[in-house]
């Protein structure tokens, strides 16, 4: 495979390139302004999706279309967060659902009347930062001891922590186990006639809210990736030992990746809890965690647009084509195997590219977009350590 | 020490975690015996993880599903032999042993075959491409997921009603601790199987091949060891032992066979393997027995719902403090 990649890069000097490559080259040779002008209509289209409830898009009558969109967007947010951990820093976290659970439970405890707090009627505006902060702290708590481990050991330990979060929710009396928390609060706001905007039945406002969060996080994470932090993550992903030798404080940046990923997971947990309005111990099992990993890996870990696409495929398509939930998991399992064998980089793979300034400099000097390599340690670099 | 200590975490006075020392003192030996029986099952499954890890440096995440296949194999053999769920029927000792051996054989063959299939379908193509380790793990997760959900689609979310061929009866009574026939059979049979496996790897020609590949695959290949065959053999042995463990599980556990019943057991067996030193066959036995016993103590100490938490805490603790386990990783190390 690595030989194939090399030939592909060489071929890009010559005649006809693959379609994806040409699209990327074309996109990369636009100026920043042109790129933004083209992004805006796409964003508008994404915001308009919930009102386009007609034939090729609609999931009705089987699934509520707006809620299907919200669920897809929510999974997209989760995938973005997990992508920081798995795609950027290359840490396989099988317990990501734990952070999602922490976020949901913080929201529940702070807003539900079943909570053990004496006056659990905090505004949602307060809940969001508190929940994110608490999940980030839990990220530090889980990350500090575990991130000294590597590879598959890390995966198993995070799996253990994820399960422990669920088991704590099962067993600790104040977290109410299966009975759960009723009436988890949502964002404030009412229509002119006084009825609340965010209700459980209406997916539209939730979808718009989630998409807004996604866009904000895309911008923040994008900036982070172009900074020293992002470079450190990529270095750790590609070869941790070399990164350490080159002076990257690998442990600290791994914890950062973990914490930032955790914060995004917590945010999506709050959104989930608010929309469903009910939190109990049922939705935070390993299967859910693996579903998150599947979304990231399927879309292409390390590629932000890729993981959003992956989330869309995993969440929206089964709703659209009325696939029974039982079959979904079977198909995702098989898809993971097939994908890893035939297209380990996912639908849209991660790209190794020059970072922001370097890209512009290269383009000015050479007069064409920079070459983009598709190799990555996560994908297939031919330096596998196995027998 | 029979006083009931309560660890009160919340100021409100509600107890979050019971901490029952008196009960543990009371049930100490009963817990130990029961833990050893459970632990021997963990050890058998752990051996599968350890063998594959020793040879391929790969955590076979789907090994828990190999176990489940074995459990269904044993269950359906029972059904095919005409046993019905419900009270245990009295039957002669001879036919009973024959039936158990048959069920064990079916479970071992089924589990061995599925392990082999897994290797061929999920791992070999990746090995050919020299894929990084993370990719193996993701494939393994996918395979585990697929098998599990396949069973779910086939058998549904409810466990199969338990079929008990052997009624648990106390055979010994040592200092007030009752030891049942099932516990003895499971423990002795598991230990015998583990010794056989250890001798096989340690002393036969094929076992030497396994150790050679574990130590240095390329050199082993140059010395005339058929690497692919050794890897297949490793998976088959691990799978067959998981199948045997599955039979004992079906005999001992009253809850019956469930489509995702392998997950927790798999994690615990992996914990056992790491505890003893992954890649180390004797470590798997030691780790399995230790985990089984500790888990039982924890269950008595904190209450039944904390049983799994104890196992997870143990796993995390070991990986953090001593990732090479008690006996160290040694399958690859040369032994004369």
């Amino acid at each position: 495979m690595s030989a194939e990649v090399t030939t592909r890069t060489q071929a890009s000097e010559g005649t006809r390139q693959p379609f994806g490559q040409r699209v990327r080259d074309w996109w990369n040779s636009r100026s920043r302004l042109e790129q933004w002008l083209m992004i805006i209509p796409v964003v508008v289209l994404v915001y308009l999706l919930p009102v386009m409830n007609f034939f090729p898009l609609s999931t009705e009558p089987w699934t509520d279309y707006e809620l299907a969109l919200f669920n897809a967007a929510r999974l997209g947010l989760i995938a973005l967060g997990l992508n920081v951990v798995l795609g950027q820093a290359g840490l396989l976290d099988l317990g990501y659902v734990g952070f999602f659970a922490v976020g949901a439970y913080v929201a529940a405890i702070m807003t539900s009347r079943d909570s053990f707090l004496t006056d659990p009627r905090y505004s949602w505006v307060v809940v969001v930062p508190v929940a994110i902060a608490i999940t980030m702290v839990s990220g530090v708590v889980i990350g500090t001891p575990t991130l000294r481990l590597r590879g598959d050991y890390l995966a198993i330990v995070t799996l253990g922590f994820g399960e422990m979060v669920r088991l704590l929710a099962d067993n600790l009396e104040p977290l109410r186990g299966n009975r759960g928390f009723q009436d988890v609060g949502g964002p404030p706001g009412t229509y002119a006639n006084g009825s609340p905007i965010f209700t459980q039945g209406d997916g539209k406002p939730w979808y718009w809210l989630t998409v807004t969060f996604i866009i904000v996080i895309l911008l923040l994470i994008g900036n982070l990736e172009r900074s020293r932090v992002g470079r450190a993550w990529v270095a750790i992903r590609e070869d941790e030992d070399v990164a350490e030798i080159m002076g990257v404080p690998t442990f600290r940046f791994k914890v950062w990746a973990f914490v930032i990923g955790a914060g995004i997971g917590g945010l999506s947990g709050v959104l989930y809890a608010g929309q469903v309005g009910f939190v109990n111990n049922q939705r935070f099992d390993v299967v859910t965690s693996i579903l998150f990993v599947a979304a990231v890996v399927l879309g292409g870990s390390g590629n932000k647009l890729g993981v959003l696409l992956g989330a869309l495929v995993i969440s929206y398509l089964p709703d659209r084509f009325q696939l029974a939930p039982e079959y979904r998991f079977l198909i995702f399992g098989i898809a993971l195997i097939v994908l890893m064998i035939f297209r380990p980089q996912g639908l849209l793979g991660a790209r190794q590219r020059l970072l922001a300034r370097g890209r512009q400099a290269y383009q000015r000097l050479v007069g064409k977009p920079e070459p983009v390599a598709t190799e990555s340690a996560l994908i297939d670099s031919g330096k596998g350590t196995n027998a | 020490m029979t006083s009931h200590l309560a660890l009160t975490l919340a100021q409100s006075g509600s107890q979050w975690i019971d901490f029952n020392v008196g009960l543990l003192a009371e049930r100490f030996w009963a817990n130990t015996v029961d833990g050893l029986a459970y632990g021997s099952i963990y050890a058998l499954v752990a051996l599968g993880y350890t063998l594959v890890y020793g040879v391929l440096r790969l955590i076979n995440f789907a090994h828990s599903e190999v176990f489940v296949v074995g459990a269904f194999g044993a269950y359906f053999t029972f059904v095919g032999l005409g046993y019905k769920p419900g009270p245990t029927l009295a039957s002669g000792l001879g036919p009973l042993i024959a039936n158990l051996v048959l069920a064990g054989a079916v479970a071992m063959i089924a589990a061995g075959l599925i392990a082999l299939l897994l290797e061929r379908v999920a791992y070999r193509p990746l090995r050919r491409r020299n894929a990084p380790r993370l990719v193996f793990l993701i494939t393994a997760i996918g395979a585990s997921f697929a098998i599990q959900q396949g069973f779910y689609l086939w058998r549904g979310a409810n466990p199969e009603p338990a079929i008990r061929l052997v009624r648990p009866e106390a055979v010994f009574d040592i200092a007030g601790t009752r030891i049942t026939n099932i516990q003895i059979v499971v423990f002795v049979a598991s230990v015998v199987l583990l010794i056989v496996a250890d001798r096989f790897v340690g002393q036969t020609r094929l076992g030497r091949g396994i150790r050679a590949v574990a130590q240095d695959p390329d050199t082993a290949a140059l010395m005339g060891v058929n690497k692919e065959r050794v890897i297949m053999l490793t998976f088959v042995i691990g799978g067959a032992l998981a199948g045997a463990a599955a039979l004992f599980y079906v005999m001992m556990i009253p809850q019956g066979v469930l489509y995702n019943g392998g997950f927790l057991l798999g994690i615990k067996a992996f914990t056992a393997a790491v505890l003893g030193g992954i890649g180390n066959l004797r470590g798997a036995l030691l780790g399995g027995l230790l985990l089984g016993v500790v888990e039982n103590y924890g269950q008595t100490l904190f209450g039944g719902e904390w049983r799994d938490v104890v196992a997870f805490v143990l796993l995390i603790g070991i990986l953090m403090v001593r990732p090479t386990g008690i006996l160290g990783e040694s399958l690859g190390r040369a032994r004369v």
Side-chain angles (χ1 to χ4, degrees), chain B residues 48-310:
Chain B
Y49 283 103
T50 261
L51 277 170
V52 169
Y53 187 87
V55 170
L56 286 178
R57 295 284 176 278
L58 157 77
I59 294 173
N60 182 8
F61 197 85
H63 192 58
S64 49
E65 264 50 57
V66 171
F67 168 84
V68 170
V69 169
F72 273 102
Y75 175 79
F76 284 120
T77 318
F78 288 168
V79 173
L81 287 170
Y83 289 95
K84 296 218 165 35
T88 318
L89 300 171
S91 59
L93 193 61
L96 183 66
I97 291 176
N99 286 344
L100 283 179
V101 169
L102 179 66
V106 170
M108 287 171 83
I109 292 171
L113 283 181
I114 200 82
L116 185 65
L117 185 75
L118 196 68
E119 198 277 321
R120 298 297 294 253
V121 173
Y123 298 142
R124 177 171 296 193
L126 295 176
R127 246 191 352 265
R128 287 264 166 77
R129 286 151 191 262
N130 215 6
R133 275 161 72 171
L134 222 47
V135 171
F136 279 85
L137 195 61
I138 292 171
T139 319
I141 292 168
S144 165
F145 218 48
I147 297 175
Q148 197 183 92
Q149 294 300 321
F151 273 116
Y152 174 72
L153 288 178
W154 182 33
R155 305 303 306 177
N158 296 320
E160 310 291 334
I163 297 180
R164 308 199 73 171
L165 265 64
V166 186
R167 191 183 300 136
E169 280 166 12
V171 185
F172 296 111
D173 195 326
I174 303 174
T177 304
R178 289 150 47 87
I179 302 175
T180 66
N181 47 0
I182 293 186
Q183 285 169 336
I184 293 174
V185 168
V186 166
F187 181 74
V188 171
S190 305
V191 172
V192 167
L193 275 173
L194 287 165
I195 291 173
V196 168
D198 186 55
R199 301 282 275 206
F200 178 79
V201 173
Q203 290 176 0
T204 61
R205 208 176 111 81
L206 288 169
R208 202 154 64 223
I210 292 179
R211 278 182 294 137
V213 174
Q215 200 174 343
D216 188 333
D218 296 331
T219 314
L222 288 175
M223 295 295 154
V225 178
N226 186 336
K227 202 174 85 183
E228 291 301 318
R229 199 185 291 167
V230 161
I231 291 170
M232 276 157 57
L233 181 71
T234 313
F235 272 87
V236 170
I237 294 174
L241 289 174
L247 171 72
F248 299 147
Y249 181 86
V250 173
M251 278 170 68
M252 202 163 78
I253 311 291
Q255 281 92 346
V257 187
L258 183 59
Y259 74 104
N260 65 0
F263 170 72
L264 261 180
L265 193 126
I267 291 276
K268 287 179 184 171
F270 177 76
T271 308
V274 176
L275 185 61
I278 195 161
N280 185 324
L281 266 61
R282 289 166 196 181
L285 177 61
L286 181 68
L289 297 181
L290 206 59
L291 177 68
V293 171
V294 169
E295 197 183 57
N296 260 0
Y297 295 157
Q299 181 176 8
T300 313
L301 202 55
F302 304 113
E305 69 272 24
W306 293 97
R307 184 188 174 94
D308 301 336
V309 180
V310 172

Side-chain angles (χ1 to χ4, degrees), chain A residues 289-331:
Chain A
S289 212
I290 289 174
L291 197 69
F292 297 164
V293 172
V296 171
V297 171
L298 180 78
S301 58
N303 185 323
K304 295 190 292 294
L305 286 181
V307 300
L308 289 178
L309 182 68
L312 196 68
V313 167
I314 278 194
S315 180
Y316 172 76
L317 283 190
D319 282 341
R320 172 68 184 83
F321 296 103
Q322 201 194 1
L323 197 58
E326 306 89 76
Y327 287 94
R328 293 181 189 185
F329 291 121
L330 180 67
I331 291 170

Side-chain angles (χ1 to χ4, degrees), chain A residues 81 84-85 88-89 91 233 252-262:
Chain A
V84 173
V85 186
Q88 290 297 314
L91 310 164
W233 285 341
R252 200 188 334 149
F253 281 113
K254 284 199 289 184
V255 174
W256 266 117
F258 222 66
V259 168
I260 290 168

